[in-house]
Amino acid sequence: MEAYIFEWLNMFFRWFHVIAGVAWIGASFYFVWLDNSLENPPQWKKDKGIGGDLWAIHGGGFYEVAKYKLGPESEPENLHWFKWEAYTTWLTGMVMLWIVYYVGAESFLIDNSRMEMTQWQAIGAGLGFIAVGVAVYEAMVRSPLRHNAKLFGLILFGFLAFMSWFSHEIFSARGAYIHMGAIIGTIMAGNVFLGIMPAQSALVAAVKRGESPDPKYGAFAKLRSTHNNYLTLPIIFIMISNHYPMTYSHEFGWLVLVAISFIAAFARHFFNLRHRGVTKPSILVAAAIMLVILAAAMAPAKIEAQKGEAVLTDAQAVSIMQQRCTSCHAVSPTNAGFASAPAGIVLETAEQALAVTDKMIPALQTGYMPLGNLTQMTDQERQQLMVWLSK
Ligand code: HEC
């Protein structure tokens, strides 16, 4: 019953998290596009302090948008802030982290072959890992380094790459990926809460006092929002990555994450330039080529039976799966953590297993399954099962 309730909580918060994330990132994409697409306004608008404007058509209506160089003469009656999208995404994300990885730490967060931990130690390590990542970013963004955007970007990338490696030393592969997602997501929500919102409040306060706002607030908020912009594609990759064990369960899973994040941020650069009227398709082509090279480099080794080794019979394969897999992968799992077969995969007959070989082989080859090797599958059984699957 408990597992069943957690399944529902899992579904509800994942759904909620995706909706909030769509709203946040959608608004963020829209404003980046808006900012980069502003045109030189006519003189009468300039006289009012408007620095750029644009026209758009959507949903059957014309929209005229104007951005003030500093601020309007008086405080608008109704000012929209766009902050709850970010906070809701973060909050629902933390709930998901708790439900999936902290309640289910034994299955999803701890990998005893990397580091032996109790559930509470793992939770402490997870929260500590996120706190350190965010603290380092906040220290960097408040240091003089913020005046050199390129160097900042480079050092931030190096730091996150290090954290990716480090997370794979402590947590299970999937737990490591999600903790990188949690660091990046918390940095991004923190950018809104600690940087962008205070800067905007200062802007509004200045307008209220009838003063012209100090441009340094806008510039500071801009740096944080630029970081968020480049982090959007990598974090969305991490959000969907748990469907692709070939990435995080790879022998060099931490490096795969670094490479994919680099390619994604690079691809984002194409759109940022394009909004400003600079179209460089070479960036997208280069990103696509890098992705293909990465896929080729990650390709798994061919599975071959060892000399003199007979391929398992179907009955022998089923017997291995009964020992190592069906406590979870059954119509009614006996493992108390699961109310139904995980990932919808039932492994009670040979036909059921052979119908999903394309998922079975990578899951076995990368060591992703059995989860956390809770059922203590031997290397020989793993090898034999893979040979049987690919016969
Ligand atoms: C302790 C429970 C448990 C055991 C034991 C277990 N699995 Fe899984 N398995 C899971 C869970 C949970 C998922 C879903 C994971 C996810 O969403 O990434 C899963 C997913 C899978 C998938 C789908 C992976 C994908 O590509 O999405 C395959 C294939 C799989 N298991 C095969 C096996 C095989 C083969 C064994 C036995 C050798 C095994 N599992 C043992 C819990 C288990």
Side-chain angles (χ1 to χ4, degrees):
M1 192 60 192
E2 200 188 313
Y4 179 69
I5 294 170
F6 270 100
E7 272 299 288
W8 272 92
L9 288 175
N10 180 327
M11 185 188 83
F12 176 77
F13 281 102
R14 192 179 298 260
W15 193 9
F16 195 178
H17 183 58
V18 169
I19 294 169
V22 167
W24 180 13
I25 293 178
S28 153
F29 277 4
Y30 172 71
F31 279 102
V32 169
W33 169 84
L34 189 67
D35 224 34
N36 288 332
S37 309
L38 292 170
E39 282 164 33
N40 200 13
Q43 192 57 43
W44 68 269
K45 283 190 185 172
K46 282 188 186 157
D47 294 343
K48 286 177 67 185
I50 291 172
D53 73 343
L54 66 77
W55 284 86
I57 187 162
H58 188 82
F62 286 98
Y63 293 77
E64 181 183 13
V65 188
K67 180 179 178 183
Y68 283 78
K69 245 193 191 137
L70 291 170
E73 277 165 18
S74 59
E75 197 197 355
E77 224 169 86
N78 219 341
L79 189 59
H80 302 279
W81 283 75
F82 297 93
K83 58 182 174 187
W84 279 105
E85 294 87 342
Y87 300 162
T88 314
T89 308
W90 185 79
L91 288 169
T92 49
M94 291 312 279
V95 174
M96 285 287 298
L97 186 66
W98 198 272
I99 294 177
V100 180
Y101 292 89
Y102 291 171
V103 173
E106 233 173 74
S107 303
F108 292 115
L109 187 55
I110 301 169
D111 181 341
N112 283 328
S113 68
R114 291 182 179 175
M115 190 171 279
E116 283 191 30
M117 283 186 277
T118 64
Q119 183 179 20
W120 282 106
Q121 284 169 338
I123 294 173
L127 294 175
F129 184 80
I130 299 169
V132 168
V134 176
V136 168
Y137 175 79
E138 282 300 322
M140 275 171 68
V141 91
R142 287 153 205 261
S143 76
L145 195 58
R146 69 171 184 271
H147 300 301
N148 189 337
K150 283 210 172 109
L151 185 64
F152 192 111
L154 204 68
I155 293 179
L156 180 61
F157 183 76
F159 170 66
L160 291 175
F162 166 77
M163 290 302 266
S164 175
W165 169 81
F166 189 45
S167 64
H168 278 76
E169 294 289 302
I170 324 176
F171 305 117
S172 72
R174 199 178 132 173
Y177 266 44
I178 215 66
H179 276 81
M180 287 309 296
I183 287 189
I184 295 175
T186 309
I187 287 176
M188 291 172 73
N191 275 335
V192 175
F193 186 70
L194 299 170
I196 298 169
M197 285 304 138
Q200 288 180 182
S201 299
L203 277 178
V204 172
V207 170
K208 242 187 215 166
R209 290 194 302 268
E211 290 168 13
S212 161
D214 186 337
K216 87 166 188 243
Y217 291 117
F220 190 39
K222 188 100 194 87
L223 178 73
R224 286 184 181 260
S225 106
T226 305
H227 292 157
N228 278 9
N229 178 248
Y230 283 99
L231 291 172
T232 42
L233 298 196
I235 202 171
I236 297 178
F237 164 71
I238 297 175
M239 285 170 82
I240 61 167
S241 69
N242 67 21
H243 297 289
Y244 304 98
M246 66 186 180
T247 55
Y248 53 85
S249 281
H250 189 273
E251 188 185 351
F252 295 105
W254 72 271
L255 197 55
V256 171
L257 177 58
V258 172
I260 292 184
S261 300
F262 173 79
I263 295 170
F266 186 53
R268 183 77 190 113
H269 190 56
F270 165 84
F271 292 96
N272 290 341
L273 287 179
R274 193 183 137 94
H275 298 327
R276 271 179 251 148
V278 185
T279 304
K280 277 198 181 167
S282 57
I283 294 183
L284 277 191
V285 174
I289 292 173
M290 283 191 274
L291 207 55
V292 172
I293 292 175
L294 179 68
M298 286 168 61
K302 204 167 174 294
I303 296 156
E304 274 163 316
Q306 269 147 22
K307 269 210 180 96
E309 190 185 45
V311 178
L312 298 177
T313 63
D314 287 4
Q316 284 170 324
V318 169
S319 149
I320 291 182
M321 291 190 293
Q322 270 167 358
Q323 236 183 319
R324 311 297 184 197
C325 316
T326 54
S327 51
C328 301
H329 290 283
V331 177
S332 317
T334 49
N335 182 314
F338 300 98
S340 55
I345 292 181
V346 177
L347 299 174
E348 291 173 307
T349 67
E351 291 72 35
Q352 285 165 339
L354 290 167
V356 286
T357 47
D358 54 333
K359 289 203 161 157
M360 291 284 280
I361 293 171
L364 286 165
Q365 200 163 25
T366 57
Y368 181 46
M369 287 294 141
L371 211 57
N373 206 7
L374 286 176
T375 49
Q376 296 171 340
M377 184 175 215
T378 65
D379 288 345
Q380 194 195 7
E381 287 167 340
R382 190 180 295 282
Q383 165 73 15
Q384 286 175 329
L385 202 55
M386 287 194 296
V387 171
W388 172 74
L389 285 161
S390 48
K391 73 182 167 172

